[in-house]
Short mmCIF file of all heavy atoms in Angstrom, two decimals:
data_model
loop_
_atom_site.label_atom_id
_atom_site.label_comp_id
_atom_site.label_asym_id
_atom_site.label_seq_id
_atom_site.Cartn_x
_atom_site.Cartn_y
_atom_site.Cartn_z
N TYR A 63 50.12 -14.41 28.75
CA TYR A 63 50.23 -15.57 29.68
C TYR A 63 50.95 -16.72 29.08
O TYR A 63 51.64 -17.51 29.78
CB TYR A 63 48.80 -15.93 30.02
CG TYR A 63 48.18 -14.85 30.93
CD1 TYR A 63 47.38 -13.93 30.34
CD2 TYR A 63 48.28 -14.89 32.25
CE1 TYR A 63 46.77 -12.98 31.10
CE2 TYR A 63 47.71 -13.94 33.10
CZ TYR A 63 46.92 -12.90 32.48
OH TYR A 63 46.37 -11.98 33.25
N PHE A 64 50.78 -16.91 27.75
CA PHE A 64 51.34 -18.09 27.18
C PHE A 64 52.38 -17.87 26.07
O PHE A 64 52.12 -16.82 25.22
CB PHE A 64 50.32 -19.00 26.47
CG PHE A 64 49.45 -19.63 27.61
CD1 PHE A 64 48.24 -19.10 27.90
CD2 PHE A 64 49.90 -20.76 28.39
CE1 PHE A 64 47.39 -19.70 28.87
CE2 PHE A 64 49.10 -21.26 29.42
CZ PHE A 64 47.88 -20.80 29.65
N GLU A 68 53.15 -15.31 21.88
CA GLU A 68 54.20 -14.38 21.61
C GLU A 68 54.62 -14.42 20.19
O GLU A 68 54.78 -15.56 19.61
CB GLU A 68 55.40 -14.64 22.44
CG GLU A 68 55.14 -14.64 23.95
CD GLU A 68 54.92 -13.30 24.57
OE1 GLU A 68 55.85 -12.33 24.42
OE2 GLU A 68 53.79 -12.97 25.11
N ASP A 77 58.02 -27.04 21.80
CA ASP A 77 57.69 -28.35 22.43
C ASP A 77 56.91 -28.01 23.71
O ASP A 77 57.51 -27.51 24.72
CB ASP A 77 58.88 -29.18 22.66
CG ASP A 77 58.54 -30.55 23.31
OD1 ASP A 77 57.33 -30.70 23.78
OD2 ASP A 77 59.41 -31.37 23.31
N ASN A 81 58.11 -26.82 27.98
CA ASN A 81 57.79 -25.52 28.38
C ASN A 81 56.56 -25.29 29.37
O ASN A 81 55.98 -24.23 29.25
CB ASN A 81 57.61 -24.69 27.17
CG ASN A 81 58.88 -24.47 26.26
OD1 ASN A 81 59.67 -23.59 26.73
ND2 ASN A 81 58.99 -25.25 25.25
N ASN A 82 56.28 -26.31 30.10
CA ASN A 82 55.17 -26.09 31.03
C ASN A 82 53.89 -25.75 30.34
O ASN A 82 53.11 -24.99 30.84
CB ASN A 82 55.60 -25.08 32.14
CG ASN A 82 54.79 -25.16 33.45
OD1 ASN A 82 54.09 -26.19 33.61
ND2 ASN A 82 54.90 -24.17 34.27
N LYS A 107 46.03 -20.07 38.07
CA LYS A 107 44.71 -20.44 38.43
C LYS A 107 43.98 -19.25 39.28
O LYS A 107 42.95 -18.83 39.06
CB LYS A 107 44.64 -21.72 39.26
CG LYS A 107 43.43 -22.01 40.18
CD LYS A 107 42.42 -22.73 39.38
CE LYS A 107 41.31 -23.32 40.33
NZ LYS A 107 40.57 -22.35 41.08
N THR A 121 30.76 -10.75 30.84
CA THR A 121 32.06 -11.25 30.39
C THR A 121 32.48 -12.46 31.24
O THR A 121 32.34 -12.55 32.47
CB THR A 121 33.13 -10.20 30.57
OG1 THR A 121 32.76 -9.09 29.72
CG2 THR A 121 34.52 -10.65 30.14
N ALA A 166 40.48 -42.43 9.69
CA ALA A 166 41.66 -43.11 10.03
C ALA A 166 41.91 -43.20 11.59
O ALA A 166 41.49 -42.39 12.33
CB ALA A 166 42.91 -42.29 9.54
N GLN A 177 50.47 -40.89 24.37
CA GLN A 177 51.05 -41.35 25.65
C GLN A 177 51.95 -40.25 26.22
O GLN A 177 51.87 -40.05 27.43
CB GLN A 177 51.87 -42.64 25.46
CG GLN A 177 52.22 -43.37 26.67
CD GLN A 177 51.08 -43.90 27.50
OE1 GLN A 177 50.16 -44.47 26.91
NE2 GLN A 177 51.08 -43.64 28.80
N ILE A 192 48.52 -28.56 38.56
CA ILE A 192 47.70 -27.79 37.59
C ILE A 192 46.24 -28.04 37.83
O ILE A 192 45.85 -29.19 38.25
CB ILE A 192 48.17 -28.27 36.14
CG1 ILE A 192 47.71 -27.39 35.05
CG2 ILE A 192 47.74 -29.72 35.91
CD1 ILE A 192 48.17 -27.62 33.67
N ILE A 212 43.61 -42.25 25.35
CA ILE A 212 44.95 -42.61 25.81
C ILE A 212 45.47 -41.43 26.74
O ILE A 212 46.11 -41.60 27.68
CB ILE A 212 45.93 -42.74 24.63
CG1 ILE A 212 45.41 -43.99 23.76
CG2 ILE A 212 47.33 -42.91 25.11
CD1 ILE A 212 46.09 -44.07 22.46
N SER A 215 42.65 -41.22 30.14
CA SER A 215 42.36 -42.37 30.96
C SER A 215 43.51 -42.66 31.94
O SER A 215 44.63 -42.64 31.48
CB SER A 215 42.09 -43.54 30.06
OG SER A 215 40.91 -43.37 29.32
N LEU A 217 44.61 -40.98 34.41
CA LEU A 217 45.34 -39.89 35.09
C LEU A 217 44.69 -39.87 36.48
O LEU A 217 43.62 -40.24 36.88
CB LEU A 217 44.95 -38.53 34.41
CG LEU A 217 45.70 -38.20 33.10
CD1 LEU A 217 45.20 -36.83 32.56
CD2 LEU A 217 47.19 -38.27 33.32
N ALA A 221 37.71 -36.90 41.85
CA ALA A 221 36.49 -37.48 41.67
C ALA A 221 35.42 -36.53 40.97
O ALA A 221 34.54 -37.01 40.21
CB ALA A 221 35.97 -38.07 42.88
N GLU A 231 29.90 -33.13 17.23
CA GLU A 231 29.96 -33.14 15.73
C GLU A 231 30.79 -32.02 15.20
O GLU A 231 31.66 -32.27 14.31
CB GLU A 231 28.47 -33.04 15.22
CG GLU A 231 28.38 -33.06 13.66
CD GLU A 231 28.37 -34.42 13.13
OE1 GLU A 231 29.46 -35.02 12.91
OE2 GLU A 231 27.35 -34.98 12.98
N SER A 238 36.63 -32.11 3.81
CA SER A 238 36.98 -32.18 2.39
C SER A 238 36.46 -33.40 1.73
O SER A 238 35.70 -34.11 2.32
CB SER A 238 38.55 -32.12 2.33
OG SER A 238 39.08 -33.36 2.69
N CYS A 242 39.26 -39.47 4.96
CA CYS A 242 39.69 -39.36 6.44
C CYS A 242 38.76 -38.38 7.20
O CYS A 242 38.77 -38.39 8.41
CB CYS A 242 41.12 -39.03 6.53
SG CYS A 242 41.56 -37.50 5.75
N GLU A 277 34.21 -27.99 2.49
CA GLU A 277 33.87 -26.80 3.32
C GLU A 277 35.07 -25.73 3.14
O GLU A 277 36.23 -26.18 3.23
CB GLU A 277 33.91 -27.25 4.77
CG GLU A 277 33.63 -26.37 5.91
CD GLU A 277 33.77 -27.01 7.24
OE1 GLU A 277 34.67 -27.89 7.37
OE2 GLU A 277 32.83 -26.84 8.02
N ASP A 280 36.09 -20.06 5.35
CA ASP A 280 35.07 -19.12 5.93
C ASP A 280 33.92 -19.92 6.59
O ASP A 280 33.44 -19.63 7.67
CB ASP A 280 34.46 -18.13 4.92
CG ASP A 280 35.42 -17.00 4.61
OD1 ASP A 280 36.49 -16.95 5.36
OD2 ASP A 280 35.14 -16.11 3.75
N VAL A 293 29.43 -24.24 23.56
CA VAL A 293 30.19 -24.58 24.85
C VAL A 293 30.04 -23.41 25.81
O VAL A 293 29.85 -23.53 27.06
CB VAL A 293 31.61 -24.92 24.54
CG1 VAL A 293 32.58 -24.94 25.91
CG2 VAL A 293 31.73 -26.28 23.79
N PRO A 346 26.62 -9.41 13.95
CA PRO A 346 26.85 -8.98 12.59
C PRO A 346 25.96 -9.83 11.63
O PRO A 346 25.56 -10.94 12.05
CB PRO A 346 28.30 -9.26 12.34
CG PRO A 346 28.75 -10.16 13.41
CD PRO A 346 27.80 -10.02 14.62
N HIS A 358 39.28 -34.42 -8.69
CA HIS A 358 40.34 -35.28 -8.44
C HIS A 358 40.58 -36.26 -9.63
O HIS A 358 39.82 -36.18 -10.56
CB HIS A 358 40.08 -36.09 -7.19
CG HIS A 358 38.79 -36.84 -7.17
ND1 HIS A 358 38.73 -38.09 -7.67
CD2 HIS A 358 37.50 -36.47 -6.80
CE1 HIS A 358 37.43 -38.43 -7.62
NE2 HIS A 358 36.66 -37.55 -7.11
N THR A 383 33.19 -36.92 -9.30
CA THR A 383 32.40 -37.94 -8.77
C THR A 383 33.27 -38.84 -7.83
O THR A 383 34.38 -39.16 -8.10
CB THR A 383 31.76 -38.95 -9.80
OG1 THR A 383 32.83 -39.14 -10.81
CG2 THR A 383 30.60 -38.27 -10.54
N THR A 397 23.45 -25.61 4.10
CA THR A 397 23.32 -24.20 4.16
C THR A 397 23.42 -23.64 5.63
O THR A 397 23.69 -22.47 5.74
CB THR A 397 21.91 -23.84 3.63
OG1 THR A 397 20.93 -24.49 4.26
CG2 THR A 397 21.82 -24.09 2.08
N ILE A 407 25.24 -34.69 29.56
CA ILE A 407 25.32 -34.91 31.02
C ILE A 407 24.74 -33.68 31.76
O ILE A 407 24.61 -32.64 31.24
CB ILE A 407 26.80 -35.10 31.51
CG1 ILE A 407 27.74 -34.10 30.82
CG2 ILE A 407 27.15 -36.57 31.20
CD1 ILE A 407 29.13 -34.25 31.33
#
Side-chain angles (χ1 to χ4, degrees):
Y63 293 92
F64 292 102
E68 304 287 302
D77 182 346
N81 291 281
N82 203 13
K107 160 89 166 62
T121 298
Q177 192 64 47
I192 192 171
I212 298 168
S215 294
L217 282 182
E231 181 83 275
S238 72
C242 56
E277 183 182 42
D280 282 353
V293 169
H358 55 87
T383 43
T397 50
I407 44 175

